[in-house]
mmCIF file of all heavy atoms in Angstrom:
data_model
loop_
_atom_site.group_PDB
_atom_site.id
_atom_site.type_symbol
_atom_site.label_atom_id
_atom_site.label_comp_id
_atom_site.label_asym_id
_atom_site.label_seq_id
_atom_site.Cartn_x
_atom_site.Cartn_y
_atom_site.Cartn_z
ATOM 1 N N ALA A 668 -20.018 -52.320 -178.381
ATOM 2 C CA ALA A 668 -19.069 -51.202 -178.472
ATOM 3 C C ALA A 668 -18.801 -50.614 -177.087
ATOM 4 O O ALA A 668 -17.675 -50.221 -176.773
ATOM 5 C CB ALA A 668 -19.625 -50.131 -179.409
ATOM 6 N N PHE A 669 -19.837 -50.539 -176.261
ATOM 7 C CA PHE A 669 -19.704 -50.035 -174.894
ATOM 8 C C PHE A 669 -18.695 -50.889 -174.120
ATOM 9 O O PHE A 669 -17.801 -50.365 -173.432
ATOM 10 C CB PHE A 669 -21.069 -50.052 -174.207
ATOM 11 C CG PHE A 669 -21.127 -49.287 -172.914
ATOM 12 C CD1 PHE A 669 -20.020 -48.624 -172.400
ATOM 13 C CD2 PHE A 669 -22.301 -49.245 -172.183
ATOM 14 C CE1 PHE A 669 -20.078 -47.914 -171.208
ATOM 15 C CE2 PHE A 669 -22.373 -48.546 -170.985
ATOM 16 C CZ PHE A 669 -21.262 -47.880 -170.499
ATOM 17 N N LEU A 670 -18.811 -52.186 -174.238
ATOM 18 C CA LEU A 670 -17.904 -53.094 -173.529
ATOM 19 C C LEU A 670 -16.468 -52.927 -174.027
ATOM 20 O O LEU A 670 -15.513 -52.960 -173.239
ATOM 21 C CB LEU A 670 -18.366 -54.537 -173.699
ATOM 22 C CG LEU A 670 -19.724 -54.886 -173.066
ATOM 23 C CD1 LEU A 670 -20.121 -56.324 -173.406
ATOM 24 C CD2 LEU A 670 -19.684 -54.672 -171.557
ATOM 25 N N LEU A 671 -16.304 -52.732 -175.327
ATOM 26 C CA LEU A 671 -14.958 -52.532 -175.878
ATOM 27 C C LEU A 671 -14.316 -51.254 -175.344
ATOM 28 O O LEU A 671 -13.094 -51.174 -175.197
ATOM 29 C CB LEU A 671 -15.013 -52.494 -177.406
ATOM 30 C CG LEU A 671 -15.282 -53.816 -178.123
ATOM 31 C CD1 LEU A 671 -15.416 -53.589 -179.621
ATOM 32 C CD2 LEU A 671 -14.165 -54.818 -177.838
ATOM 33 N N CYS A 672 -15.151 -50.238 -175.075
ATOM 34 C CA CYS A 672 -14.635 -48.962 -174.554
ATOM 35 C C CYS A 672 -13.908 -49.136 -173.224
ATOM 36 O O CYS A 672 -13.018 -48.346 -172.879
ATOM 37 C CB CYS A 672 -15.781 -47.962 -174.362
ATOM 38 S SG CYS A 672 -16.141 -46.998 -175.831
ATOM 39 N N LEU A 673 -14.281 -50.147 -172.476
ATOM 40 C CA LEU A 673 -13.671 -50.373 -171.163
ATOM 41 C C LEU A 673 -12.203 -50.758 -171.283
ATOM 42 O O LEU A 673 -11.453 -50.674 -170.312
ATOM 43 C CB LEU A 673 -14.439 -51.468 -170.410
ATOM 44 C CG LEU A 673 -15.938 -51.203 -170.171
ATOM 45 C CD1 LEU A 673 -16.576 -52.389 -169.468
ATOM 46 C CD2 LEU A 673 -16.138 -49.922 -169.351
ATOM 47 N N PHE A 674 -11.773 -51.188 -172.472
ATOM 48 C CA PHE A 674 -10.392 -51.633 -172.664
ATOM 49 C C PHE A 674 -9.507 -50.550 -173.278
ATOM 50 O O PHE A 674 -8.322 -50.775 -173.517
ATOM 51 C CB PHE A 674 -10.374 -52.875 -173.567
ATOM 52 C CG PHE A 674 -11.078 -54.058 -172.970
ATOM 53 C CD1 PHE A 674 -12.405 -54.316 -173.271
ATOM 54 C CD2 PHE A 674 -10.411 -54.896 -172.090
ATOM 55 C CE1 PHE A 674 -13.065 -55.410 -172.727
ATOM 56 C CE2 PHE A 674 -11.052 -55.994 -171.532
ATOM 57 C CZ PHE A 674 -12.386 -56.249 -171.840
ATOM 58 N N ILE A 675 -10.077 -49.364 -173.529
ATOM 59 C CA ILE A 675 -9.285 -48.253 -174.073
ATOM 60 C C ILE A 675 -8.409 -47.664 -172.978
ATOM 61 O O ILE A 675 -8.843 -47.475 -171.838
ATOM 62 C CB ILE A 675 -10.216 -47.147 -174.630
ATOM 63 C CG1 ILE A 675 -10.936 -47.647 -175.886
ATOM 64 C CG2 ILE A 675 -9.443 -45.877 -174.951
ATOM 65 C CD1 ILE A 675 -10.078 -47.705 -177.121
ATOM 66 N N LYS A 676 -7.154 -47.360 -173.332
ATOM 67 C CA LYS A 676 -6.255 -46.736 -172.357
ATOM 68 C C LYS A 676 -6.713 -45.324 -172.037
ATOM 69 O O LYS A 676 -7.277 -44.631 -172.882
ATOM 70 C CB LYS A 676 -4.817 -46.712 -172.897
ATOM 71 C CG LYS A 676 -4.172 -48.085 -172.962
ATOM 72 C CD LYS A 676 -2.720 -47.967 -173.412
ATOM 73 C CE LYS A 676 -2.038 -49.329 -173.434
ATOM 74 N NZ LYS A 676 -0.617 -49.218 -173.841
ATOM 75 N N SER A 677 -6.415 -44.860 -170.837
ATOM 76 C CA SER A 677 -6.895 -43.554 -170.402
ATOM 77 C C SER A 677 -5.906 -42.426 -170.681
ATOM 78 O O SER A 677 -6.204 -41.270 -170.414
ATOM 79 C CB SER A 677 -7.193 -43.579 -168.894
ATOM 80 O OG SER A 677 -6.043 -43.958 -168.158
ATOM 81 N N ALA A 678 -4.731 -42.743 -171.210
ATOM 82 C CA ALA A 678 -3.743 -41.689 -171.486
ATOM 83 C C ALA A 678 -4.309 -40.676 -172.478
ATOM 84 O O ALA A 678 -5.095 -40.988 -173.345
ATOM 85 C CB ALA A 678 -2.459 -42.299 -172.033
ATOM 86 N N ILE A 679 -3.880 -39.396 -172.319
ATOM 87 C CA ILE A 679 -4.409 -38.327 -173.167
ATOM 88 C C ILE A 679 -3.669 -38.284 -174.498
ATOM 89 O O ILE A 679 -4.260 -38.419 -175.559
ATOM 90 C CB ILE A 679 -4.282 -36.959 -172.442
ATOM 91 C CG1 ILE A 679 -5.106 -36.983 -171.168
ATOM 92 C CG2 ILE A 679 -4.768 -35.848 -173.349
ATOM 93 C CD1 ILE A 679 -5.055 -35.680 -170.397
ATOM 94 N N HIS A 680 -2.399 -38.090 -174.499
ATOM 95 C CA HIS A 680 -1.644 -37.983 -175.755
ATOM 96 C C HIS A 680 -0.558 -39.059 -175.749
ATOM 97 O O HIS A 680 0.388 -38.980 -174.970
ATOM 98 C CB HIS A 680 -1.002 -36.597 -175.895
ATOM 99 C CG HIS A 680 -1.983 -35.497 -175.721
ATOM 100 N ND1 HIS A 680 -3.067 -35.348 -176.544
ATOM 101 C CD2 HIS A 680 -2.059 -34.511 -174.799
ATOM 102 C CE1 HIS A 680 -3.764 -34.298 -176.158
ATOM 103 N NE2 HIS A 680 -3.182 -33.787 -175.100
ATOM 104 N N ILE A 681 -0.712 -40.051 -176.588
ATOM 105 C CA ILE A 681 0.216 -41.170 -176.585
ATOM 106 C C ILE A 681 0.677 -41.486 -177.983
ATOM 107 O O ILE A 681 -0.013 -41.283 -178.956
ATOM 108 C CB ILE A 681 -0.426 -42.431 -175.969
ATOM 109 C CG1 ILE A 681 -1.768 -42.734 -176.645
ATOM 110 C CG2 ILE A 681 -0.605 -42.302 -174.485
ATOM 111 C CD1 ILE A 681 -2.457 -43.984 -176.134
ATOM 112 N N LYS A 682 1.879 -41.996 -178.090
ATOM 113 C CA LYS A 682 2.387 -42.565 -179.325
ATOM 114 C C LYS A 682 2.842 -43.970 -178.965
ATOM 115 O O LYS A 682 3.852 -44.154 -178.292
ATOM 116 C CB LYS A 682 3.593 -41.767 -179.872
ATOM 117 C CG LYS A 682 3.218 -40.397 -180.375
ATOM 118 C CD LYS A 682 2.677 -40.496 -181.769
ATOM 119 C CE LYS A 682 2.597 -39.140 -182.425
ATOM 120 N NZ LYS A 682 1.849 -38.142 -181.719
#
Side-chain angles (χ1 to χ4, degrees):
F669 193 0
L670 295 175
L671 288 175
C672 272
L673 302 178
F674 297 95
I675 291 285
K676 290 184 178 181
S677 57
I679 298 181
H680 307 299
I681 52 178
K682 291 278 193 305

